[in-house]
Amino acid sequence: MHTAGSRSISAATSEDGGATISRVIIVGGGTAGWLAACRIAAAARTDVPYPIEVTLVESPEVATIGVGEGTWPTMRGTLERIGIGEAEFLTACDASFKHGSRFIGWATGSVDDAYMHPFTPPLGGDPAAMVAAWQALPGEPTFADAVSAQPRAARLGLAPRQRAMPDYAGALNYGYHVDAAKLAALLMRHATSRLGVRHLRDHVTGVERREDGTIASVDTRMHGHVAGDLFLDCSGHAALLVGDVPFLDRGDVLFNDRALAVQVPVAADSPILAQTDATAHAAGWIWDIGLPTRRGVGCVYSSAHMSDDAAATTLAAYLGDVAMPTPRRLTFRSGHRERFWVGNCLAIGLSAGFLEPLEASAIVTVELSLDALIADWPTRSTMALIATRFNELFRYRWDRIVEFLKLHYLPSRRTEPYWRAHRDPASVPARLADLFQLWANRPPTRADLPMADEIFPAASYQYILYGMNASTPVATPIRDAPPPPLDPIAQRGRTLAASLPPIRAYLDALRAEQPPAVLEQTS
């Protein structure tokens, strides 16, 4: 046994005799597996000789790992493509809105040390001119407040949209906070009842391979051989289908390898956090994700710099007077597979890799993997070529995520051994080290991130660098572009503050409108 953009896709036969893929077998459920099932089934055509059939095999004994998730704005497009309405999603998944991430204590650890990485980008135009305009403002506002109205909306706990807007439209760019287990349950119901996905609750006991190494079928305890043309490994850390592919450990760059997670109930009338809070501590950071009925809180740390007992004490101190439930202890390695698509098997989700949950990159890598798969659906004759291109693209993307997460640590002036180790040049990828030196003299620009579909744009790097007061661009002998007017940003913030409802009021009104049958499914 071996260890085991929206468009329509067709399973018809090509003229050159290379049959396209008609039987898709997904091993593993959870967010990754059920997103894959929904995306493929929703994109598949039915008016062809060999319609695509999607089968998901899920162990009845494996629970969803998620402890409260943050998504990127990309989730809005994903949900719309698979046919789930926004009201249904918000109520079924105990979900809320996310304006971005707020970082507390990362630069110095002082009481006023905080900055925002919002989802809405700064004004367009020349980045150096924009930074100069910010620095010329009176009152020393933060960079994010100067160039985006979103931080103000987040501080006020406002929804990014009004109820009358069409689904997934907003006055600001936004993502979600969501109960991961409830999201998986909603996707499962949608896939099986509306999209025709076949669901097998069974254990995978083996993998049958052809002479060329491709997978012919997976063996299951109760359903025997489940044959397919394309296999998606969504089995999480177990990596039942791709476990033989080498794992590239990135712990030399990103040190965190453990987390203690708790769920804390909240009062029914309490404000809901409008962003993911990431609060630094002596050897890591604490996430705080607000949902309508609870907060998901977790202490992320490096076992080389902090003991489990010290992490528990740190988490309890953060929660203060709130009674702390028994934490759930998670261990992980930051890293990813050397290759993600091997033969006719594609790893998606935790089986492909995992990095510390900073900036909520886990779900978006699932979404991007499915976008790439559907945009260039393989035939048997093109599978190897498409797999090679996929592997090249996603190795690039994982490298960029590693670099971007590392950037959050480099400008820190904290003095604890953990933070000093993060600034050790030996732990910094060479490409990032060069860019960091460059950015000491000028802002990040698109020239530094040349791919058309960079996973993080230059604006994201600007928010981190200037949020932590990392550098001040120096004057050059070349004439600068005129600074953009920033007054409209402040006016935009005032307009949004007067017109957008509080998140709690928005979600309470939405839930009150749902039929009893819908609410019963979410309880």
Side-chain angles (χ1 to χ4, degrees):
M1 170 184 173
H2 290 256
T3 53
S6 180
R7 64 185 288 268
S8 294
I9 49 180
S10 168
T13 301
S14 63
E15 294 180 0
D16 64 0
T20 61
I21 303 304
S22 64
R23 298 172 301 171
V24 178
I25 310 300
I26 302 169
V27 175
T31 302
W34 287 111
L35 269 180
C38 288
R39 283 285 280 118
I40 295 171
R45 293 173 55 181
T46 57
D47 59 340
V48 291
Y50 303 100
I52 290 173
E53 301 171 356
V54 180
T55 299
L56 188 144
V57 183
E58 180 181 30
S59 169
E61 298 174 2
V62 178
T64 299
I65 290 179
V67 289
E69 296 276 7
T71 82
W72 287 16
T74 51
M75 180 56 71
R76 289 152 54 200
T78 295
L79 292 170
E80 187 170 32
R81 281 190 285 269
I82 65 181
I84 295 178
E86 190 166 28
E88 179 185 10
F89 162 74
L90 289 168
T91 53
C93 300
D94 195 29
S96 184
F97 298 111
K98 176 179 176 179
H99 286 281
S101 297
R102 179 170 60 179
F103 297 90
I104 303 167
W106 285 68
T108 63
S110 63
V111 294
D112 60 348
D113 176 12
Y115 72 94
M116 181 84 175
H117 175 197
F119 285 136
T120 301
L123 294 170
D126 181 77
M130 178 184 62
V131 172
W134 158 56
Q135 293 173 329
L137 290 174
E140 298 185 351
T142 67
F143 175 74
D145 275 307
V147 302
S148 172
Q150 192 151 34
R152 179 174 182 174
R155 282 195 299 274
L156 295 173
L158 301 179
R161 50 176 276 118
Q162 296 170 326
R163 295 286 309 283
M165 291 178 173
D167 276 7
Y168 304 114
L172 294 161
N173 197 21
Y174 66 94
Y176 302 103
H177 289 147
V178 60
D179 183 312
K182 291 184 177 181
L183 174 60
L186 171 64
L187 293 171
M188 178 188 69
R189 292 194 300 271
H190 186 72
T192 56
S193 65
R194 302 173 186 170
L195 297 177
V197 173
R198 180 188 180 204
H199 184 200
L200 303 181
R201 293 187 180 273
D202 206 344
H203 297 273
V204 172
T205 59
V207 179
E208 297 292 330
R209 297 183 184 270
R210 303 182 182 92
E211 291 183 359
D212 62 1
T214 59
I215 299 175
S217 66
V218 292
D219 300 333
T220 63
R221 187 176 299 170
M222 294 180 293
H223 293 84
H225 301 297
V226 181
D229 304 314
L230 177 67
F231 293 79
L232 304 188
D233 188 340
C234 300
S235 63
H237 291 304
L240 294 177
L241 306 186
V242 297
D244 288 343
V245 178
F247 183 88
L248 301 182
D249 195 322
R250 307 304 293 268
D252 59 332
V253 178
L254 302 171
F255 305 151
N256 294 327
D257 58 0
R258 294 188 184 179
L260 298 178
V262 295
Q263 295 179 1
V264 180
V266 298
D269 58 350
S270 62
I272 301 174
L273 276 177
Q275 70 285 319
T276 297
D277 277 354
T279 301
H281 62 77
W285 56 279
I286 294 172
W287 79 71
D288 200 334
I289 291 177
L291 300 178
T293 60
R294 63 171 171 84
R295 289 161 57 201
V297 184
C299 179
V300 182
Y301 59 104
S302 162
S303 62
H305 298 87
M306 176 173 276
S307 69
D308 295 343
D309 289 343
T313 300
T314 299
L315 180 58
Y318 176 85
L319 292 172
D321 295 334
V322 176
M324 187 173 78
T326 301
R328 181 181 178 188
R329 182 170 172 271
L330 307 172
T331 61
F332 58 89
R333 287 192 298 166
S334 280
H336 52 80
R337 298 289 162 188
E338 184 179 78
R339 293 171 295 155
F340 313 98
W341 191 329
V342 182
N344 62 341
C345 180
L346 174 58
I348 294 179
L350 296 178
S351 60
F354 180 77
L355 303 174
E356 62 173 290
L358 192 65
E359 294 283 7
S361 63
I363 291 180
V364 77
T365 60
V366 173
E367 295 179 272
L368 293 174
S369 295
L370 294 169
D371 288 346
L373 170 63
I374 291 171
D376 199 5
W377 191 257
T379 67
R380 294 186 190 278
S381 60
T382 63
M383 179 89 73
L385 175 59
I386 291 174
T388 296
R389 296 176 64 177
F390 184 98
N391 288 329
E392 291 173 350
L393 173 61
F394 278 83
R395 177 57 195 269
Y396 179 90
R397 285 178 165 167
W398 280 92
D399 283 345
R400 297 296 81 76
I401 297 173
V402 169
E403 290 175 357
F404 185 65
L405 300 191
K406 183 67 170 183
L407 179 66
H408 292 64
Y409 297 94
L410 287 187
S412 179
R413 279 89 71 197
R414 293 185 66 122
T415 59
E416 296 95 337
Y418 168 89
W419 294 89
R420 293 202 308 269
H422 262 300
R423 298 194 296 269
D424 184 341
S427 73
V428 183
R431 181 180 180 277
L432 177 60
D434 289 344
L435 288 172
F436 194 63
Q437 180 180 357
L438 190 63
W439 295 334
N441 296 280
R442 62 143 174 92
T445 69
R446 290 185 62 182
D448 304 322
L449 303 151
M451 290 282 285
D453 52 355
E454 288 285 349
I455 194 164
F456 293 101
S460 291
Y461 292 81
Q462 294 163 10
Y463 280 127
I464 305 306
L465 287 169
Y466 301 126
M468 298 183 74
N469 294 314
S471 60
T472 301
V474 299
T476 72
I478 301 300
R479 186 181 302 278
D480 292 331
L486 296 181
D487 290 343
I489 298 296
Q491 178 57 46
R492 172 74 169 155
R494 291 189 289 269
T495 300
L496 293 175
S499 61
L500 293 175
I503 293 176
R504 171 67 71 182
Y506 183 107
L507 295 176
D508 284 350
L510 185 67
R511 191 171 182 84
E513 295 176 357
Q514 301 306 305
V518 173
L519 297 179
E520 287 175 7
Q521 285 186 326
T522 68
S523 61

